[in-house]
Amino acid sequence: QVQLVESGGGSVQAGGSLRLSCAASGRALSGYVMGWFRQAPGKEREFVAHISRYGGTTSYADSVKGRFTISRDNAKNTVYLQINSLKPEDTAAYYCAADTQTARITMGMPSYWGRGTQVTVSS
């Protein structure tokens, strides 16, 4: 079993940047496909990005392409989400997730979730 803890959220103005981190413990991160999701108030949780076990493959939601970058450092057991050119509509709780299967990440059904970190963007 793997435990996930997100950090790096905060309140920023539109156009700003943040780097979210997701620290894993319990198992080696290299055994898992990782993803980031977000949930805005009153909305369903949505897929943001995924990265393969060794970082060779990534994918993004259309709404964040070109602004968000997912990366990982397996030696540090950490996954990152660099968020640039923030918009008010990016305001949400951001969650990291892990699974051994890519499809379960991209379909929003991962085995493991973190507790989330809040990102608030003001105009």
Side-chain angles (χ1 to χ4, degrees):
Q1 191 165 351
V2 61
Q3 293 80 43
L4 305 171
V5 179
E6 302 92 336
S7 62
S11 297
V12 297
Q13 290 191 328
S17 298
L18 284 173
R19 188 174 81 155
L20 308 184
S21 298
C22 172
S25 61
R27 294 282 179 88
L29 194 66
S30 58
Y32 297 91
V33 178
M34 300 298 295
W36 283 95
F37 294 77
R38 67 184 181 184
Q39 187 169 20
K43 295 187 177 181
E44 294 187 353
R45 192 175 298 187
E46 64 174 354
F47 170 79
V48 172
H50 106 278
I51 187 166
S52 58
R53 292 194 300 146
Y54 294 97
T57 301
T58 59
S59 71
Y60 298 90
D62 288 343
S63 58
V64 307
K65 281 180 181 176
R67 299 189 299 120
F68 289 20
T69 303
I70 188 171
S71 61
R72 65 192 294 161
D73 185 338
N74 287 343
K76 295 183 178 180
N77 256 21
T78 303
V79 177
Y80 306 97
L81 187 68
Q82 178 69 39
I83 307 176
N84 298 328
S85 303
L86 276 159
K87 305 176 181 180
E89 52 264 42
D90 295 320
T91 294
Y94 283 72
Y95 300 86
C96 100
D99 202 281
T100 56
Q101 300 179 41
T102 301
R104 292 186 64 85
I105 292 285
T106 58
M107 293 176 64
M109 300 184 298
S111 297
Y112 305 103
W113 290 99
R115 292 189 174 184
T117 185
Q118 179 67 36
V119 172
T120 303
V121 185
S122 57
S123 57

